[in-house]
PDB file of all heavy atoms in Angstrom:
ATOM      1  N   SER A 100     112.618  12.224  32.742  1.00 98.00           N
ATOM      2  CA  SER A 100     112.664  11.039  31.870  1.00 98.00           C
ATOM      3  C   SER A 100     111.264  10.505  31.569  1.00 98.00           C
ATOM      4  O   SER A 100     111.001  10.046  30.455  1.00 98.00           O
ATOM      5  CB  SER A 100     113.593   9.953  32.408  1.00 98.00           C
ATOM      6  OG  SER A 100     113.458   9.796  33.763  1.00 98.00           O
ATOM      7  N   ARG A 102     108.585  12.275  31.250  1.00 98.00           N
ATOM      8  CA  ARG A 102     108.038  13.174  30.221  1.00 98.00           C
ATOM      9  C   ARG A 102     108.598  12.804  28.839  1.00 98.00           C
ATOM     10  O   ARG A 102     107.866  12.762  27.853  1.00 98.00           O
ATOM     11  CB  ARG A 102     108.356  14.636  30.570  1.00 98.00           C
ATOM     12  CG  ARG A 102     107.653  15.602  29.648  1.00 98.00           C
ATOM     13  CD  ARG A 102     108.060  17.056  29.901  1.00 98.00           C
ATOM     14  NE  ARG A 102     107.981  17.755  28.649  1.00 98.00           N
ATOM     15  CZ  ARG A 102     107.179  18.777  28.393  1.00 98.00           C
ATOM     16  NH1 ARG A 102     106.400  19.246  29.328  1.00 98.00           N
ATOM     17  NH2 ARG A 102     107.159  19.343  27.219  1.00 98.00           N
ATOM     18  N   ASP A 130      95.330  22.858  40.102  1.00 94.00           N
ATOM     19  CA  ASP A 130      94.443  23.280  39.006  1.00 94.00           C
ATOM     20  C   ASP A 130      93.755  22.086  38.358  1.00 94.00           C
ATOM     21  O   ASP A 130      92.558  22.126  38.078  1.00 94.00           O
ATOM     22  CB  ASP A 130      95.246  24.008  37.899  1.00 94.00           C
ATOM     23  CG  ASP A 130      95.683  25.393  38.352  1.00 94.00           C
ATOM     24  OD1 ASP A 130      95.237  25.832  39.431  1.00 94.00           O
ATOM     25  OD2 ASP A 130      96.479  26.024  37.621  1.00 94.00           O
ATOM     26  N   LEU A 145      94.680   9.329  26.449  1.00 97.00           N
ATOM     27  CA  LEU A 145      95.583   9.933  27.440  1.00 97.00           C
ATOM     28  C   LEU A 145      96.757   8.994  27.693  1.00 97.00           C
ATOM     29  O   LEU A 145      96.560   7.784  27.856  1.00 97.00           O
ATOM     30  CB  LEU A 145      94.854  10.091  28.766  1.00 97.00           C
ATOM     31  CG  LEU A 145      94.220  11.421  29.143  1.00 97.00           C
ATOM     32  CD1 LEU A 145      93.661  11.307  30.542  1.00 97.00           C
ATOM     33  CD2 LEU A 145      95.208  12.577  29.065  1.00 97.00           C
ATOM     34  N   VAL A 160     100.978  11.125  42.779  1.00 98.00           N
ATOM     35  CA  VAL A 160     100.333  10.631  41.552  1.00 98.00           C
ATOM     36  C   VAL A 160      99.019   9.914  41.902  1.00 98.00           C
ATOM     37  O   VAL A 160      97.982  10.139  41.273  1.00 98.00           O
ATOM     38  CB  VAL A 160     101.297   9.683  40.795  1.00 98.00           C
ATOM     39  CG1 VAL A 160     100.604   8.986  39.636  1.00 98.00           C
ATOM     40  CG2 VAL A 160     102.517  10.453  40.305  1.00 98.00           C
ATOM     41  N   ILE A 161      99.083   9.092  42.933  1.00 97.00           N
ATOM     42  CA  ILE A 161      97.879   8.347  43.343  1.00 97.00           C
ATOM     43  C   ILE A 161      96.762   9.327  43.696  1.00 97.00           C
ATOM     44  O   ILE A 161      95.638   9.227  43.211  1.00 97.00           O
ATOM     45  CB  ILE A 161      98.200   7.422  44.553  1.00 97.00           C
ATOM     46  CG1 ILE A 161      99.274   6.408  44.156  1.00 97.00           C
ATOM     47  CG2 ILE A 161      96.939   6.725  45.063  1.00 97.00           C
ATOM     48  CD1 ILE A 161      99.773   5.515  45.279  1.00 97.00           C
ATOM     49  N   GLY A 168      89.841  11.583  38.149  1.00 92.00           N
ATOM     50  CA  GLY A 168      88.875  10.615  37.620  1.00 92.00           C
ATOM     51  C   GLY A 168      88.703  10.735  36.112  1.00 92.00           C
ATOM     52  O   GLY A 168      88.899  11.799  35.537  1.00 92.00           O
ATOM     53  N   ASN A 199      89.119   4.219  38.583  1.00 96.00           N
ATOM     54  CA  ASN A 199      88.748   5.638  38.620  1.00 96.00           C
ATOM     55  C   ASN A 199      88.280   6.163  37.260  1.00 96.00           C
ATOM     56  O   ASN A 199      88.487   7.328  36.924  1.00 96.00           O
ATOM     57  CB  ASN A 199      89.902   6.482  39.173  1.00 96.00           C
ATOM     58  CG  ASN A 199      90.041   6.302  40.676  1.00 96.00           C
ATOM     59  OD1 ASN A 199      89.316   6.920  41.452  1.00 96.00           O
ATOM     60  ND2 ASN A 199      90.938   5.421  41.076  1.00 96.00           N
ATOM     61  N   PHE A 201      88.976   5.261  34.022  1.00 96.00           N
ATOM     62  CA  PHE A 201      89.773   5.251  32.791  1.00 96.00           C
ATOM     63  C   PHE A 201      89.742   3.855  32.169  1.00 96.00           C
ATOM     64  O   PHE A 201      89.629   2.861  32.889  1.00 96.00           O
ATOM     65  CB  PHE A 201      91.225   5.638  33.088  1.00 96.00           C
ATOM     66  CG  PHE A 201      91.392   7.047  33.595  1.00 96.00           C
ATOM     67  CD1 PHE A 201      91.377   7.319  34.960  1.00 96.00           C
ATOM     68  CD2 PHE A 201      91.538   8.110  32.720  1.00 96.00           C
ATOM     69  CE1 PHE A 201      91.521   8.615  35.442  1.00 96.00           C
ATOM     70  CE2 PHE A 201      91.687   9.405  33.185  1.00 96.00           C
ATOM     71  CZ  PHE A 201      91.686   9.662  34.546  1.00 96.00           C
ATOM     72  N   ALA A 222     121.912   3.425  34.672  1.00 98.00           N
ATOM     73  CA  ALA A 222     121.060   3.773  33.513  1.00 98.00           C
ATOM     74  C   ALA A 222     121.401   5.155  32.957  1.00 98.00           C
ATOM     75  O   ALA A 222     120.509   5.907  32.560  1.00 98.00           O
ATOM     76  CB  ALA A 222     119.578   3.680  33.895  1.00 98.00           C
ATOM     77  N   ALA A 236     107.044   2.662  19.247  1.00 98.00           N
ATOM     78  CA  ALA A 236     106.345   1.438  18.808  1.00 98.00           C
ATOM     79  C   ALA A 236     105.189   1.120  19.757  1.00 98.00           C
ATOM     80  O   ALA A 236     104.097   0.714  19.324  1.00 98.00           O
ATOM     81  CB  ALA A 236     107.328   0.274  18.753  1.00 98.00           C
ATOM     82  N   ILE A 269     116.656   9.678  49.453  1.00 95.00           N
ATOM     83  CA  ILE A 269     117.844  10.383  49.954  1.00 95.00           C
ATOM     84  C   ILE A 269     117.607  11.873  49.713  1.00 95.00           C
ATOM     85  O   ILE A 269     117.238  12.284  48.605  1.00 95.00           O
ATOM     86  CB  ILE A 269     119.115   9.937  49.198  1.00 95.00           C
ATOM     87  CG1 ILE A 269     119.286   8.430  49.342  1.00 95.00           C
ATOM     88  CG2 ILE A 269     120.339  10.671  49.734  1.00 95.00           C
ATOM     89  CD1 ILE A 269     120.471   7.884  48.567  1.00 95.00           C
ATOM     90  N   GLU A 275     124.869  26.845  50.970  1.00 90.00           N
ATOM     91  CA  GLU A 275     124.321  28.198  50.831  1.00 90.00           C
ATOM     92  C   GLU A 275     125.257  29.140  50.072  1.00 90.00           C
ATOM     93  O   GLU A 275     124.819  29.958  49.263  1.00 90.00           O
ATOM     94  CB  GLU A 275     124.013  28.761  52.220  1.00 90.00           C
ATOM     95  CG  GLU A 275     123.054  29.914  52.152  1.00 90.00           C
ATOM     96  CD  GLU A 275     122.585  30.359  53.529  1.00 90.00           C
ATOM     97  OE1 GLU A 275     122.860  29.677  54.532  1.00 90.00           O
ATOM     98  OE2 GLU A 275     121.950  31.420  53.586  1.00 90.00           O
ATOM     99  N   CYS A 315     115.428  19.532  42.285  1.00 95.00           N
ATOM    100  CA  CYS A 315     116.187  20.739  42.646  1.00 95.00           C
ATOM    101  C   CYS A 315     117.657  20.588  42.267  1.00 95.00           C
ATOM    102  O   CYS A 315     118.291  21.536  41.792  1.00 95.00           O
ATOM    103  CB  CYS A 315     116.022  21.069  44.129  1.00 95.00           C
ATOM    104  SG  CYS A 315     116.581  19.770  45.230  1.00 95.00           S
ATOM    105  N   PRO A 321     124.720  26.204  39.651  1.00 95.00           N
ATOM    106  CA  PRO A 321     125.933  26.424  40.466  1.00 95.00           C
ATOM    107  C   PRO A 321     126.237  25.308  41.472  1.00 95.00           C
ATOM    108  O   PRO A 321     127.162  25.425  42.267  1.00 95.00           O
ATOM    109  CB  PRO A 321     125.624  27.736  41.189  1.00 95.00           C
ATOM    110  CG  PRO A 321     124.163  27.858  41.200  1.00 95.00           C
ATOM    111  CD  PRO A 321     123.631  27.128  40.011  1.00 95.00           C
ATOM    112  N   LYS A 327     124.701  14.439  48.045  1.00 88.00           N
ATOM    113  CA  LYS A 327     125.883  14.007  48.812  1.00 88.00           C
ATOM    114  C   LYS A 327     125.389  13.200  49.992  1.00 88.00           C
ATOM    115  O   LYS A 327     124.393  13.555  50.608  1.00 88.00           O
ATOM    116  CB  LYS A 327     126.612  15.245  49.345  1.00 88.00           C
ATOM    117  CG  LYS A 327     127.616  15.819  48.404  1.00 88.00           C
ATOM    118  CD  LYS A 327     128.738  16.514  49.195  1.00 88.00           C
ATOM    119  CE  LYS A 327     129.622  17.296  48.255  1.00 88.00           C
ATOM    120  NZ  LYS A 327     129.356  18.732  48.324  1.00 88.00           N
ATOM    121  N   LEU A 351     109.107  -3.102  29.152  1.00 98.00           N
ATOM    122  CA  LEU A 351     108.051  -4.120  29.156  1.00 98.00           C
ATOM    123  C   LEU A 351     106.792  -3.465  28.577  1.00 98.00           C
ATOM    124  O   LEU A 351     106.463  -2.343  28.966  1.00 98.00           O
ATOM    125  CB  LEU A 351     107.797  -4.536  30.615  1.00 98.00           C
ATOM    126  CG  LEU A 351     106.552  -5.346  30.898  1.00 98.00           C
ATOM    127  CD1 LEU A 351     106.829  -6.828  30.676  1.00 98.00           C
ATOM    128  CD2 LEU A 351     106.080  -5.126  32.331  1.00 98.00           C
TER     129      LEU A 351
END
Side-chain angles (χ1 to χ4, degrees):
S100 42
R102 188 185 149 118
D130 288 352
L145 263 184
V160 171
I161 299 175
N199 286 279
F201 296 92
I269 302 177
E275 199 172 351
C315 60
K327 272 209 190 104
L351 167 86

